[in-house]
């Protein structure tokens, strides 16, 4: 997918740079205000959710948009989405203090002392917000692919450098994010968000089932908590046949998440059984490459359920 994250120091006009670059590349521009609006519509107002949940909320929004558009994302900390959306071009705009103060003087019609004071206030606010949301108060250089100095370059020139970098790195030729990749990313984001108690506003009808193992009941309750529709063991896939062509072995994943077109298999059991199950999953992927499946091992499941206190939260709903 074509994905560019643009951020910068206060007073560097990086928002203008992002807009120009998006127009020249015919990419969709995603601003901080647009992200906030989408989060409020799909989850909750940003002011009501924990700061630590911010990146997962943004990743969920961006992943959905990336299935139909190439994107230029403009906002502080967006370079950190690289862990969830690898391959993005990460750009940071910097400039000497004199240039940034001059820009604020022009943009806000302030005298020099007032503009300098405004810059300092914005820098302090940026550091505080980065520390709360991302655990980083600064902007380490290694987080960026391009650091562009606006001392002698105006927004038009800087945007052109970004456009050239996008073309030379092959971003423009890439396809959109696949539905399977988005499904897995969305599922991981939602499970991480669930530890913060963030629940989407929409309601769904949730089925009741008898489960073969208590871990399946806990997992189903977790999905219920997060309003993720699911089906339990809805389909068996033949994976071995005898000489006469009759099915000799089949594999039935534990859950199917209809919203994500994703099968989930839990393996909270001893290693010998896990090895047998891994063999079945491998065969399933080889025989049915179009089937999207994710495996949760015992350690993954324990981290998901117990580390974040979800056992008490979900068991209470049994």
């Amino acid at each position: 997918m074509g994905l560019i994250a643009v951020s910068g120091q206060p007073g560097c006009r990086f928002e203008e740079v992002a807009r120009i670059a998006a127009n020249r590349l015919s990419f969709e521009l995603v601003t901080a205000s647009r992200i906030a609006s989408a989060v409020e519509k799909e989850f909750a107002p940003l002011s009501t959710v924990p700061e630590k949940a911010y990146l997962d909320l943004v990743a969920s929004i961006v992943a959905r948009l990336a299935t139909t558009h190439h994107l230029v994302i403009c906002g502080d900390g967006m370079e950190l989405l690289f862990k969830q959306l690898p391959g993005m071009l990460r750009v940071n705009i910097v400039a000497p203090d004199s240039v940034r103060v001059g820009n604020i003087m022009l943009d806000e019609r302030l005298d020099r002392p007032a503009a300098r004071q405004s810059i300092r206030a914005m820098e302090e606010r940026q550091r505080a917000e980065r520390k709360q949301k991302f655990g980083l108060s600064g902007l380490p250089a290694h987080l960026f692919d391009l650091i562009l100095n606006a001392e002698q370059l105006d927004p038009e020139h800087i945007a052109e450098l970004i456009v050239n970098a996008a073309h030379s790195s092959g971003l423009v030729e890439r396809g959109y994010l696949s539905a399977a990749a988005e499904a897995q990313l969305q599922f991981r984001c939602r499970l991480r968000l669930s530890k913060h108690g963030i629940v989407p506003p929409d309601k769904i009808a949730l089925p009741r089932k008898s489960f073969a193992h208590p871990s399946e009941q806990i997992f189903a309750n977790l999905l219920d908590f997060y309003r993720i529709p699911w089906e339990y063991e809805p389909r068996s896939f033949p994976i071995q046949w005898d000489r006469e062509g009759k099915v000799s072995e089949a594999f039935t994943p534990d859950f199917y998440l209809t919203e994500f077109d994703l099968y989930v298999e839990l393996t909270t059991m001893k290693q010998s059984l896990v090895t047998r199950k891994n063999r079945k999953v491998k065969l399933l992927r080889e025989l049915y490459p179009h089937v999207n499946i994710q495996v949760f091992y015992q350690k993954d499941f324990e981290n998901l359920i117990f580390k974040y206190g979800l056992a008490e939260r979900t068991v209470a709903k049994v």
Side-chain angles (χ1 to χ4, degrees):
M1 82 197 123
L3 190 59
I4 302 173
V6 179
S7 60
Q9 293 175 303
C12 280
R13 294 176 173 168
F14 64 89
E15 298 94 343
E16 182 179 355
V17 170
R19 177 182 56 78
I20 296 170
N23 286 339
R24 292 186 181 179
L25 289 165
S26 296
F27 280 22
E28 185 84 1
L29 179 63
V30 182
T31 61
S33 61
R34 181 177 175 184
I35 288 173
S37 177
V39 168
E40 181 167 356
K41 180 179 179 181
E42 298 184 25
F43 294 95
L46 278 176
S47 60
T48 67
V49 301
E51 299 282 3
K52 297 297 184 181
Y54 181 74
L55 270 184
D56 281 314
L57 289 170
V58 175
S60 176
I61 301 300
V62 170
R64 177 173 52 77
L65 295 174
T67 61
T68 55
H69 296 87
H70 295 311
L71 307 173
V72 174
I73 313 169
C74 178
D76 191 45
M78 295 300 95
E79 70 280 355
L80 298 175
L81 290 173
F82 184 82
K83 292 181 179 179
Q84 295 159 294
L85 298 163
M88 71 161 56
L89 179 65
R90 300 163 294 177
V91 182
N92 189 36
I93 315 298
V94 301
D97 195 68
S98 58
V99 172
R100 297 188 293 126
V101 170
N103 286 339
I104 294 297
M105 290 175 64
L106 292 173
D107 295 343
E108 300 185 15
R109 298 183 180 181
L110 300 174
D111 59 22
R112 188 169 296 277
R116 185 174 289 109
Q117 184 177 4
S118 178
I119 285 283
R120 299 289 87 83
M122 286 188 285
E123 289 175 336
E124 184 176 347
R125 184 165 58 251
Q126 184 186 61
R127 284 193 296 269
E129 289 180 354
R130 286 185 67 87
K131 186 67 174 178
Q132 289 179 331
K133 292 179 180 178
F134 317 123
L136 297 170
S137 57
L139 291 166
H142 70 270
L143 294 178
F144 300 95
D145 305 297
L146 285 177
I147 298 178
L148 301 173
N149 191 341
E151 182 175 13
Q152 300 185 53
L153 299 173
D154 63 23
E156 294 278 347
H157 290 108
I158 296 175
E160 189 60 29
L161 291 173
I162 296 173
V163 169
N164 290 337
H167 281 288
S168 64
S169 62
L171 280 183
V172 179
E173 290 76 26
R174 293 181 186 176
Y176 300 138
L177 185 68
S178 70
E182 193 232 349
Q184 293 214 17
L185 191 148
Q186 292 285 9
F187 184 53
R188 290 195 299 268
C189 284
R190 288 199 177 194
L191 291 182
R192 285 193 297 269
L193 286 170
S194 67
K195 72 178 181 180
H196 300 291
I198 299 173
V199 182
D202 55 313
K203 305 290 183 181
I204 62 170
L206 301 168
R208 295 289 89 199
K209 294 283 184 178
S210 297
F211 298 95
H213 192 276
S215 64
E216 296 173 344
Q217 176 71 75
I218 294 175
F219 189 74
N221 288 335
L222 172 61
L223 297 175
D224 287 359
F225 165 77
Y226 208 74
R227 304 295 192 268
I228 297 175
W230 53 269
E231 297 176 11
Y232 180 63
E233 297 185 341
R235 178 181 175 186
S236 293
F237 296 89
I239 56 175
Q240 292 280 9
W241 293 262
D242 61 22
R243 293 181 180 179
E244 298 178 355
K246 296 180 180 179
V247 176
S248 59
E249 187 177 13
F251 178 53
T252 306
D254 294 322
F255 291 90
Y256 175 62
L257 312 185
T258 56
E259 182 179 354
F260 304 112
D261 188 25
L262 175 67
Y263 288 91
V264 175
E265 178 67 18
L266 304 179
T267 61
T268 56
M269 55 182 65
K270 59 184 181 180
Q271 187 57 45
S272 60
L273 297 177
V274 170
T275 301
R276 290 172 54 191
K277 185 169 288 190
N278 283 342
R279 170 186 155 273
K280 291 184 177 182
V281 171
K282 182 178 179 181
L283 283 173
L284 174 68
R285 286 172 171 161
E286 291 175 353
L287 294 168
Y288 306 93
H290 63 285
V291 172
N292 193 18
I293 184 167
Q294 181 165 327
V295 180
F296 276 82
Y297 297 97
Q298 183 167 351
K299 184 178 179 181
D300 301 325
F301 185 78
E302 289 174 352
N303 285 341
L304 178 67
I305 300 299
F306 300 106
K307 181 178 178 180
Y308 302 132
L310 293 175
E312 295 80 3
R313 183 183 297 162
T314 56
V315 169
K317 299 177 68 176
V318 176

